[in-house]
Amino acid sequence: QSTEIYAKIDRLKAKAIENGFIFDSSWITRSLNENETIESVLCGHSELLVIALNLIQEPAPKFIQVVKNLRVCGHCRK
């Protein structure tokens, strides 16, 4: 379902930008590769991918809980 997940991420990203969201590059702790953007790196975090996976499920879940044993970046907590 990778194609559907990334398509959902792209739609969510476009909607966020349309509503004035600004991606904060301070959460990126490495240099960007030639083909990367701030948005592509931040939207590729596992927390956002799992949310997108849940949003494309049929029937849509009533509750999504993301649990990690690692630190979550500030961008993903927004």
Side-chain angles (χ1 to χ4, degrees), residues 5 29 31-32 35 37 45 58 76:
I5 291 169
T29 58
S31 298
L32 295 178
N35 60 339
T37 64
H45 286 173
E58 293 293 333
C76 293

Side-chain angles (χ1 to χ4, degrees), residues 14-27:
K15 191 66 142 171
I17 291 169
E18 178 183 311
N19 286 297
F21 185 80
I22 298 171
F23 289 86
D24 184 357
S25 63
S26 69
W27 295 109

Side-chain angles (χ1 to χ4, degrees), residues 21-76:
F21 185 80
I22 298 171
F23 289 86
D24 184 357
S25 63
S26 69
W27 295 109
I28 300 174
T29 58
R30 62 174 177 81
S31 298
L32 295 178
N33 293 330
E34 205 172 284
N35 60 339
E36 292 179 318
T37 64
I38 294 167
E39 294 88 355
S40 70
V41 171
L42 292 175
C43 290
H45 286 173
S46 61
E47 299 87 353
L48 298 178
L49 295 174
V50 75
I51 290 169
L53 171 65
N54 279 274
L55 293 174
I56 65 170
Q57 299 300 311
E58 293 293 333
K62 294 178 193 239
F63 180 76
I64 300 172
Q65 181 176 2
V66 178
V67 179
K68 285 185 69 167
N69 62 351
L70 301 171
R71 293 180 299 159
V72 176
C73 85
H75 174 261
C76 293

